[in-house]
Amino acid sequence: MFRKLLVLIGAACALATLPASAQQSVARAPLDLFVGYDTLREPDLSPNGRYIALVRREPVGDVLIIFDRQTRQSQAIQTARADQQMRIDFVSFKTDDRIVFGFSQKVHVVAATGSARVGSRADDAFEWVSRVYASDITGANRISLYDPSSQSGLPRWVNAQIADMLPRDDNNVLMVAPKAGGAELWRINVRTGDHTTVDRGGLYTFNWVVDSEGIPVLRQDVIANGRGYAWSRRGRGQNSWTEIIRFRGAEGANSGPTFQGLGPAVAPGQVFVLARRDNDDTSGLYVYDAGTGQYVETVETNPDFDVSSAIRDLDNNKILAACWWGHRWECDPKDETFGRYWVGVTRALGDQLNVRLEARGGERGELWLLRTNGPQDLGTYRLYNIETRQLATLFTVRPTADASLLPTQRVVQYTARDGTQLWGYLWIPPGVTNATNLPTIVVPHGGPEGRDVWGFDPFAMTFASQGYAVFQPNFRGGGGFGRRFVEAGHRQWGLRMQDDVVDGARYLIQQGITDPNRICITGWSYGGYVAMTASFQNADVFKCSVAGAGVSDMVAMQRWVRAGPRDADVASGGGQGSQSMSYRYWTEAMGDPDTDRAMMDAHSAAQNADRVGMPLLLIHGEEDETVPIEQSQLMVRAMQRAGKQVRLVELPDTNHYFRPDQGDAWRTVFTESLAFYQQNIGPGVAPGSQ
């Protein structure tokens, strides 16, 4: 049933060497290439470098495979059945002969008197319940490290997870174990399943960070019913936890970390953290003393971008490189020896690819498992031998991808109307060498404190692959560029942030890149708000609008955050109260209905439906807990009252986020959007037509 991984790797390599004319069997990349699960994912390299563990998506579901590099044989050892709504979340080598892996299962949450419970009906909401196992690499001697039955009735944000693999301990890992009275941190033996409790958290604790001796010194707790979180510290020998900071905002809103624990530093009681220290504008990488609350060493700061990640030597608790999203993914080596190899391999791979180090193995750590991606690389895993300087392609995550049918990407600089210098990504359709007079889709990002990045984006890559230029502006209010850039967008919904998007579109028209008669705007979440607002504010620029999961009425949205829906679902994101962190965040970022109502109404599409001057398509998930579907339904009713046509595509059993398990829903999003463009601005350009 399962092909040898060797065959798969060989096929992927052979495909890469075929001429473009032999590879191109269809005129367009199929939409299924951009939705659903990767065919291959989540690889890890054994400590000795001999084995690769990975997950392969089969018709039956997820299959866990062990590939032996020495014998060139592979073995399927576990399956997570798709018909049981299961998936494999991760796999990690504990030793050369023992692995730890995680399953999760999608279950529905339904109403029950006085509480929420897990049930079989699908009319309210859903969540993923996790399991963690360990086994030999042959699949034998499998044991459960966590029994999810004890998780029944717990909040949906608490799941079993590995807190630390303890790389210098061959037998034990640290695991967050949800419990009815509050999560616990377990030291658990991966061969026997025996555990000891290292620490007990509160009812909403979901994460710990330990120091170099495995002592928990940072703790993370959910606040505001899952709409924010708090970090606390505790020094060695101290009894109580001291809160460091509270995160304000909706899920995923703040992309630049205000504070985030990474892992142990060398000295006991100290850890590496990403933080916006004191009054700094951007986030940096520091060594933090949990006992004193002091930043004792600065590892990396960048005046232009938030440092957001690090490559760590887990065996020696050292930082090898600090990383961030600039125009592309960038890493600044902090270790001289590592830096020589890193600079060499990244230069060899070229500036079109983002490069990440996923794992190291071999007797001397000479084998690096690398992951690359870019506009014409949906994800490729490579093995680099730093001693021989040999770089081999192992596999691509989507083996059927044909690079000749994928778009290219470039950075475009432009000036906003107030003189501010901004930039964004321009995607050029496949085979286009003369980027002039192109049908164009402008796609503002969500958040609004998100940002667009180099490489895969589901909207941009899908639409560009079908012959449309796509522009993604990094407008003010977005994250990743420092706090001042974020705050420049506060209370600027429909104002400065909207202008930044429109000014980018006008620049493309002025440069002759975009056909002024064939330009539409599409967005999701906050981007959906921008697209909906453009339908009445920017009809002089755009010819159609697709608004996904967008806010149509800012005052109504604030009311929902404060009071919740009238017929509250089990797992609603609303109803936080006027003193909640969520409500305070949105009044600061969006506006206060008590003092800013006139401004908020003036820039809310549902209050201005009579001014809509272009065809409008709405798309929304029925189970959206971040922006309720009522926001799109409000817009439909407002358009009907105004005597204007509009269509709402409702996605059943779909939440707010682009997820592989919701591939069918996202295929609908893209199919409906492309049909709408075809109807209103015509087809995309054919490959090689200009």
Side-chain angles (χ1 to χ4, degrees):
M1 179 177 179
F2 306 110
R3 295 182 180 274
K4 300 299 184 184
L5 184 61
L6 176 61
V7 175
L8 173 69
I9 293 173
C13 293
L15 177 63
T17 62
L18 286 175
S21 59
Q23 294 182 45
Q24 185 167 330
S25 58
V26 295
R28 304 280 192 203
L31 297 189
D32 282 351
L33 195 62
F34 309 111
V35 300
Y37 287 93
D38 288 338
T39 302
L40 299 164
R41 68 181 197 274
E42 302 295 333
D44 192 30
L45 185 66
S46 65
N48 64 7
R50 176 173 173 175
Y51 301 101
I52 296 173
L54 73 159
V55 180
R56 178 180 172 90
R57 190 69 178 181
E58 296 276 358
V60 70
D62 283 348
V63 179
L64 179 55
I65 293 174
I66 303 295
F67 174 63
D68 186 335
R69 295 180 55 245
Q70 181 173 306
T71 65
R72 313 302 290 176
Q73 299 295 311
S74 62
Q75 180 182 6
I77 65 169
Q78 300 290 340
T79 300
R81 295 183 60 89
D83 61 1
Q84 296 178 5
Q85 297 290 298
M86 299 188 73
R87 69 184 182 196
I88 299 176
D89 296 319
F90 73 91
V91 56
S92 296
F93 281 96
K94 178 56 182 169
T95 60
D96 291 325
D97 65 346
R98 194 80 176 158
I99 57 172
V100 176
F101 56 96
F103 277 78
S104 59
Q105 185 171 25
K106 189 176 183 179
V107 297
H108 288 107
V109 179
V110 300
T113 303
S115 66
R117 65 179 176 83
V118 174
S120 59
R121 284 171 40 223
D123 56 350
D124 287 318
F126 56 82
E127 64 182 14
W128 288 89
V129 176
S130 62
R131 297 167 168 83
V132 182
Y133 296 93
S135 80
D136 294 343
I137 60 172
T138 61
N141 299 313
R142 190 183 81 167
I143 60 171
S144 173
L145 300 185
Y146 180 75
D147 178 2
S149 63
S150 64
Q151 195 179 2
S152 178
L154 293 182
R156 64 186 182 277
W157 52 79
V158 181
N159 263 318
Q161 61 180 322
I162 299 299
D164 197 300
M165 286 295 290
L166 300 178
R168 291 180 286 184
D169 181 338
D170 286 346
N171 296 312
N172 298 290
V173 298
L174 291 178
M175 187 173 70
V176 178
K179 304 288 286 185
E184 295 180 349
L185 182 65
W186 290 353
R187 184 184 302 272
I188 188 164
N189 190 298
V190 300
R191 301 182 187 277
T192 67
D194 296 333
H195 77 269
T196 57
T197 300
V198 177
D199 197 32
R200 290 182 171 87
L203 184 61
Y204 302 111
T205 301
F206 69 97
N207 186 31
W208 281 267
V209 177
V210 299
D211 69 2
S212 58
E213 296 182 356
I215 305 299
V217 294
L218 294 180
R219 196 179 84 178
Q220 199 172 10
D221 291 78
V222 164
I223 58 174
N225 197 31
R227 307 293 291 196
Y229 56 81
W231 281 97
S232 300
R233 63 178 177 85
R234 186 178 68 187
R236 295 164 63 87
Q238 297 176 352
N239 295 320
S240 59
W241 290 92
T242 301
E243 186 171 302
I244 302 166
I245 195 166
R246 289 191 163 216
F247 172 95
R248 292 192 299 157
E251 292 172 329
N254 293 330
S255 60
T258 300
F259 188 94
Q260 180 181 335
L262 292 183
V266 174
Q270 295 183 359
V271 288
F272 293 113
V273 300
L274 299 165
R276 185 172 290 107
R277 190 178 64 174
D278 302 327
N279 296 315
D280 290 349
D281 184 41
T282 57
S283 296
L285 175 61
Y286 303 95
V287 176
Y288 182 78
D289 189 296
T292 64
Q294 300 297 309
Y295 297 94
V296 295
E297 181 184 344
T298 298
V299 181
E300 181 81 41
T301 59
N302 186 309
D304 300 315
F305 302 104
D306 291 316
V307 179
S308 57
S309 185
I311 301 174
R312 294 189 291 138
D313 178 347
L314 300 180
D315 292 323
N316 299 298
N317 298 323
K318 294 182 178 180
I319 297 292
L320 300 177
C323 306
W324 59 88
W325 279 111
H327 289 165
R328 296 172 179 80
W329 183 247
E330 301 178 31
C331 292
D332 179 25
K334 312 307 294 183
D335 176 88
E336 183 178 355
T337 301
F338 172 84
R340 287 199 304 270
Y341 299 127
W342 181 258
V343 170
V345 72
T346 53
R347 284 179 178 172
L349 288 166
D351 64 2
Q352 294 298 298
L353 295 176
N354 306 309
V355 184
R356 296 176 184 264
L357 177 59
E358 299 290 323
R360 297 192 298 169
E363 293 183 4
R364 297 167 300 281
E366 72 276 10
L367 297 176
W368 290 7
L369 180 63
L370 302 174
R371 185 184 194 275
T372 63
N373 79 297
Q376 294 190 314
D377 178 358
L378 298 181
T380 301
Y381 284 92
R382 309 166 193 265
L383 196 63
Y384 179 51
N385 188 315
I386 65 174
E387 294 180 348
T388 64
R389 306 297 176 95
Q390 291 182 323
L391 180 65
T393 297
L394 293 175
F395 60 85
T396 58
V397 301
R398 305 260 174 161
T400 61
D402 181 346
S404 71
L405 299 180
L406 298 178
T408 57
Q409 187 179 10
R410 65 180 69 166
V411 174
V412 171
Q413 309 277 352
Y414 68 99
T415 304
R417 65 192 66 183
D418 64 358
T420 300
Q421 296 299 306
L422 299 172
W423 62 276
Y425 295 111
L426 177 64
W427 294 75
I428 304 298
V432 170
T433 57
N434 181 22
T436 58
N437 215 36
L438 294 170
T440 300
I441 313 299
V442 175
V443 183
H445 62 69
E449 293 183 35
R451 61 153 290 178
D452 291 311
V453 299
W454 185 266
F456 180 76
D457 176 90
F459 286 92
M461 190 165 278
T462 300
F463 299 152
S465 72
Q466 306 305 302
Y468 297 94
V470 176
F471 182 60
Q472 298 177 288
N474 276 311
F475 48 86
R476 280 170 284 189
F481 311 103
R483 198 62 196 165
R484 284 192 296 271
F485 195 80
V486 168
E487 293 175 352
H490 281 183
R491 303 196 181 204
Q492 294 296 315
W493 288 45
L495 296 164
R496 180 183 296 138
M497 288 197 290
Q498 192 83 14
D499 292 344
D500 287 352
V501 174
V502 176
D503 290 345
R506 287 198 172 107
Y507 175 80
L508 297 181
I509 293 171
Q510 292 164 2
Q511 295 299 305
I513 296 171
T514 292
D515 182 342
N517 297 310
R518 301 182 67 196
I519 177 171
C520 291
I521 185 167
T522 296
W524 195 266
S525 192
Y526 174 77
Y529 164 83
V530 176
M532 221 181 303
T533 302
S535 72
F536 73 92
Q537 284 192 188
N538 308 117
D540 59 325
V541 176
F542 302 109
K543 305 307 175 187
C544 72
S545 171
V546 179
V551 174
S552 69
D553 188 315
M554 286 190 273
V555 172
M557 180 69 187
Q558 293 285 54
R559 185 184 308 121
W560 177 81
V561 173
R562 184 177 65 247
R566 294 174 184 172
D567 53 344
D569 286 344
V570 172
S572 169
Q576 303 300 305
S578 61
Q579 299 304 309
S580 69
M581 300 202 65
S582 252
Y583 186 71
R584 282 185 286 158
Y585 170 81
W586 286 119
T587 56
E588 178 182 316
M590 185 188 296
D592 187 336
D594 294 333
T595 59
D596 302 317
R597 177 154 192 159
M599 178 270 288
M600 296 169 76
D601 284 349
H603 301 288
S604 291
Q607 298 293 329
N608 296 273
D610 59 333
R611 296 173 54 201
V612 170
M614 67 183 71
L616 175 63
L617 174 65
L618 306 175
I619 308 176
H620 216 124
E622 291 180 353
E623 306 294 348
D624 195 326
E625 301 167 23
T626 301
V627 178
I629 194 171
E630 286 81 7
Q631 282 290 313
S632 288
Q633 294 167 343
L634 274 173
M635 188 61 185
V636 169
R637 293 193 292 271
M639 291 285 281
Q640 290 171 342
R641 288 193 300 269
K644 301 205 172 187
Q645 290 187 344
V646 68
R647 189 163 71 94
L648 169 60
V649 177
E650 298 189 4
L651 306 171
D653 296 327
T654 303
N655 67 10
H656 194 72
Y657 302 103
F658 182 82
R659 299 164 54 106
D661 60 292
Q662 298 178 162
D664 290 342
W666 284 97
R667 189 182 301 105
T668 297
V669 171
F670 298 142
T671 301
E672 291 281 359
S673 298
L674 288 164
F676 192 70
Y677 305 148
Q678 174 89 18
Q679 178 183 357
N680 289 286
I681 61 171
V685 297
S689 61
Q690 63 185 72

